[in-house]
């Protein structure tokens, strides 16, 4: 491929992406209905007990009714969502900061996310993630 | 003397760009097509990367193809127009099987998954192509054509036409084509089903140009208006990063093979369908479909 073709290709790509972004702006943040609808579509056998949605509307945790070892995760990706069912072993680290929870995963396709929260909601989300990431202590015997 | 034929896909690139703009504009006006900036960017970068990686390995493919054609061909079919027609049909049949294995064997899926990784279905999705197709056994499916005596340059040429045909079927802007056309040819409707993640639609409609292959080999599923297609992967990617998109399944295979306990498991992590694990902790498309069928049956019984 000659350099002119390569430069032309990059210009066309940038132009198409910019026009797409301008013509189809992403407006909708996550809300309860969108989180639960998408989670149910991906995991029809799991029963959600609610949703803890980040203040920026980009990430949500979905506690499960009858499974305390895993938690649902819904992340806005452009104008679509990505849904995961996360167990403790999937999480590399949860770092609590003033602006929320920074979560790192053992997942090449979803390496990290941030749950922007404050106050009691931050506390609840932190407790929920702690409950699935802390493994039960082994018997002393 | 090798046949010197034009490269159809390179000639078609300006038309691809213009048609993407046209579909975007149509979608903006009518709401019948949808794009997203980052998704479009990733799809197009994948397309450019695919062209570059293809160019880098093209000579290797041609050398291997001509070696087979030179040493093992049964006939020399020449380059008459009917040979091009025959090559087009047989290459499309080979494409069907490459594509089917591309979904049913994780080694080949590692390359093909890229094309399915967008949650959008528009003309830019057609250009979201693999960078690593050369590292799969796909080449072997074309060997019968060379052994039959079709010159590799002709096969490369008709494969280019095949790819160009498949561009326009990546759209939601077209509903259904006339009935006779839908019966024989691959269409936007048939291919929407192929890209859908709804359990009902998984592992269906592998055709490139002629949908008759799916009807012949039992993989045809018509689009059901009551079941709108949802696009992407059964486990969608949480990234727009082209490098992660290009290599994620290879990384997954490497991790699985590295952590496997037996040689049987190592082999099956490569050769079994995507989602296979020794302990069944992940789901294959067959398992997803079986669960869906069980849910459907339970719902029917509850309704009675």
């Amino acid at each position: 491929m000659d350099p002119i073709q390569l430069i032309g290709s990059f210009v066309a790509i940038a132009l198409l992406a910019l026009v797409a972004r301008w013509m189809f702006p992403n407006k909708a943040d996550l809300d309860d209905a969108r989180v639960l609808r998408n989670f149910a579509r991906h995991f029809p056998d799991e029963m959600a007990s609610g949703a803890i949605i980040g203040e920026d509307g980009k990430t949500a945790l979905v506690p499960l009714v009858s499974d305390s070892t895993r938690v649902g995760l819904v992340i806005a990706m452009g104008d679509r969502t990505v849904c995961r069912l996360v167990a403790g072993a999937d999480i590399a680290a949860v770092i609590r900061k003033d602006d929320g929870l920074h979560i790192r995963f053992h997942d090449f396709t979803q390496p990290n996310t941030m749950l922007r929260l404050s106050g009691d909601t931050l506390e609840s989300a932190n407790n929920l993630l702690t409950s699935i990431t802390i493994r039960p202590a082994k018997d002393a015997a | 003397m090798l046949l010197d034929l034009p490269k159809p896909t390179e000639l078609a690139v300006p038309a691809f760009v213009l048609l993407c703009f046209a579909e975007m504009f149509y979608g903006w006006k009518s709401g019948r097509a949808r794009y997203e900036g980052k998704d479009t960017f990733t799809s197009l970068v994948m397309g450019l990367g695919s062209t570059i990686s293809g160019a880098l390995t093209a000579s290797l493919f041609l050398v291997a193809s001509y070696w087979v054609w030179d040493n093992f061909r049964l006939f020399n079919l020449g380059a008459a127009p009917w040979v091009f027609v025959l090559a087009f049909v047989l290459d499309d049949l080979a494409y069907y099987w490459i594509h089917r294995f591309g979904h049913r064997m994780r080694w080949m899926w590692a390359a093909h998954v890229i094309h399915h990784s967008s949650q959008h279905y528009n003309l830019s999705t057609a250009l979201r192509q693999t960078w690593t197709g050369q590292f799969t056994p796909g080449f072997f499916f074309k060997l019968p054509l060379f052994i039959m005596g079709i010159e590799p340059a002709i096969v490369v040429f008709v494969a280019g036409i095949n790819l160009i045909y498949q561009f326009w079927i990546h759209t939601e802007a077209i509903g259904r084509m006339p009935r006779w056309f839908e019966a024989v040819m691959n269409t936007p409707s048939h291919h929407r089903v192929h890209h859908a993640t709804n359990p009902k639609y998984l592992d269906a409609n592998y055709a490139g140009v002629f949908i008759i292959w799916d009807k012949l080999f039992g993989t045809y599923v018509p689009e059901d208006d009551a079941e709108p297609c949802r696009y992407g992967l059964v486990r969608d990617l949480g990234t727009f990063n082209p490098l992660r998109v290009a290599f994620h399944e290879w990384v997954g295979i490497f991790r699985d093979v590295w952590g496997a306990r037996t040689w049987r498991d190592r082999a099956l992590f490569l050769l079994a369908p995507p989602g296979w694990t020794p302990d069944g902790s992940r789901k294959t498309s067959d398992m997803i479909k079986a669960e869906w069928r069980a849910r459907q049956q339970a719902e029917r019984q509850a309704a009675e």
Side-chain angles (χ1 to χ4, degrees), chain A residues 26 41 79 81 84 108-109, chain B residues 34 36 119-120 236 238:
Chain A
N26 295 329
R41 181 165 62 83
D79 60 346
T81 60
R84 295 272 192 270
F108 190 74
T109 69
Chain B
R34 191 161 171 83
E36 201 274 333
Q119 293 193 54
H120 284 269
D236 285 309

Side-chain angles (χ1 to χ4, degrees), chain A residues 9-10 13 16-17 19-20 23-24 26 41-42 44-45 77-82 84 107-111, chain B residues 20-21 24 28 33-37 40-41 44 48 119-120 230 235-240 244 248 295:
Chain A
S9 301
F10 274 117
I13 288 170
L16 274 163
V19 172
M23 282 184 170
F24 304 93
N26 295 329
R41 181 165 62 83
H42 279 86
D45 295 329
M77 273 284 293
D79 60 346
R80 299 286 194 259
T81 60
V82 170
R84 295 272 192 270
D107 182 349
F108 190 74
T109 69
Q110 179 73 69
Chain B
C20 282
F21 274 122
M24 235 180 243
W28 183 54
R34 191 161 171 83
Y35 278 74
E36 201 274 333
T40 304
F41 178 81
L44 299 174
L48 178 61
Q119 293 193 54
H120 284 269
R230 301 292 309 218
R235 189 175 191 275
D236 285 309
L237 303 189
T239 179
F240 288 116
R244 287 189 188 272
H248 74 271
R295 274 197 305 277

Side-chain angles (χ1 to χ4, degrees), chain B residues 48-69:
Chain B
L48 178 61
S50 176
T51 308
I52 293 170
S53 78
L56 290 175
T57 52
S59 332
L60 198 65
F61 172 83
L62 270 182
V63 167
S65 308
Y66 270 98
W67 180 78
V68 172
W69 183 71

Side-chain angles (χ1 to χ4, degrees), chain B residues 13 19 34 41 48 53 57 73 76 121 125 128 133 149 152 157 189 218 222 238 242 252 254 261 264 276 284-285:
Chain B
V13 167
L19 286 166
R34 191 161 171 83
F41 178 81
L48 178 61
S53 78
T57 52
R73 68 173 182 248
N76 187 354
Y121 189 74
T125 312
R128 185 181 278 236
F157 177 76
S189 173
F254 178 79
R261 291 184 180 168
R264 181 183 176 276
W276 177 88
T284 63
S285 54

Side-chain angles (χ1 to χ4, degrees), chain B residues 2-295:
Chain B
L2 305 188
L3 261 183
D4 188 18
L5 295 168
K7 294 174 181 155
T9 42
E10 285 186 14
L11 296 173
V13 167
F16 290 164
V17 173
L18 287 176
L19 286 166
C20 282
F21 274 122
E23 188 194 33
M24 235 180 243
F25 186 73
Y26 175 74
W28 183 54
K29 289 299 243 185
S30 69
R32 290 195 60 193
R34 191 161 171 83
Y35 278 74
E36 201 274 333
K38 287 180 185 170
D39 176 84
T40 304
F41 178 81
T42 304
S43 291
L44 299 174
V45 168
M46 298 314 295
L48 178 61
S50 176
T51 308
I52 293 170
S53 78
L56 290 175
T57 52
S59 332
L60 198 65
F61 172 83
L62 270 182
V63 167
S65 308
Y66 270 98
W67 180 78
V68 172
W69 183 71
D70 277 337
N71 291 290
F72 300 102
R73 68 173 182 248
L74 301 174
F75 312 100
N76 187 354
L77 298 182
W82 69 268
V83 178
F84 281 76
V85 174
L86 178 70
F88 185 77
V89 174
L90 293 180
D91 177 70
D92 194 51
L93 174 60
Y95 176 88
Y96 170 88
W97 284 105
I98 292 171
H99 196 188
R100 188 163 169 174
F101 272 81
H103 281 260
R104 301 294 296 166
M105 182 202 279
R106 195 178 175 201
W107 181 5
M108 293 180 70
W109 175 243
H112 185 59
V113 60
I114 283 77
H115 181 59
H116 286 267
S117 61
S118 172
Q119 293 193 54
H120 284 269
Y121 189 74
N122 53 44
L123 292 177
S124 78
T125 312
L127 304 176
R128 185 181 278 236
Q129 293 289 338
T130 181
W131 298 358
T132 56
Q134 307 85 336
F135 304 105
T136 69
F139 170 74
F140 293 100
F141 291 82
K142 302 241 176 179
L143 292 185
L145 279 78
F146 308 141
I147 292 169
M148 191 183 284
I150 300 173
E151 186 169 345
I154 296 176
V155 176
V156 171
F157 177 76
V158 296
I161 306 271
N162 191 309
L163 268 182
I164 291 173
Y165 179 87
Q166 291 190 47
F167 176 75
W168 77 279
I169 60 178
H170 290 85
T171 185
E172 290 186 290
I174 297 171
R176 283 189 174 78
M177 301 298 288
R179 192 180 287 185
W180 68 268
F181 196 84
E182 294 278 346
V184 181
M185 306 298 285
N186 198 5
T187 62
S189 173
H190 298 325
H191 206 56
R192 282 194 288 272
V193 166
H194 175 68
H195 273 258
T197 58
N198 315 42
K200 175 179 184 171
Y201 295 145
L202 289 175
D203 293 334
N205 299 5
Y206 297 113
V209 173
F210 301 115
I211 196 69
I212 50 170
W213 307 126
D214 284 287
K215 294 181 177 179
L216 208 59
F217 299 119
T219 49
Y220 173 66
V221 175
E223 186 177 25
D224 178 357
D225 292 334
E227 176 90 19
C229 295
R230 301 292 309 218
Y231 307 105
L233 302 170
V234 293
R235 189 175 191 275
D236 285 309
L237 303 189
T239 179
F240 288 116
N241 180 334
L243 288 172
R244 287 189 188 272
V245 173
F247 298 111
H248 74 271
E249 193 65 25
W250 293 106
V251 170
I253 289 177
F254 178 79
R255 284 179 179 167
D256 286 337
V257 169
W258 187 262
R261 291 184 180 168
T262 66
W263 283 103
R264 181 183 176 276
D265 289 351
R266 285 184 191 104
L268 286 176
F269 272 127
L270 270 177
L271 304 176
W276 177 88
T277 52
D279 59 0
S281 57
R282 290 177 227 154
K283 289 177 187 171
T284 63
S285 54
D286 291 331
M287 292 157 78
I288 293 169
K289 281 195 281 191
E291 288 175 1
W292 170 74
R293 279 192 210 102
R295 274 197 305 277

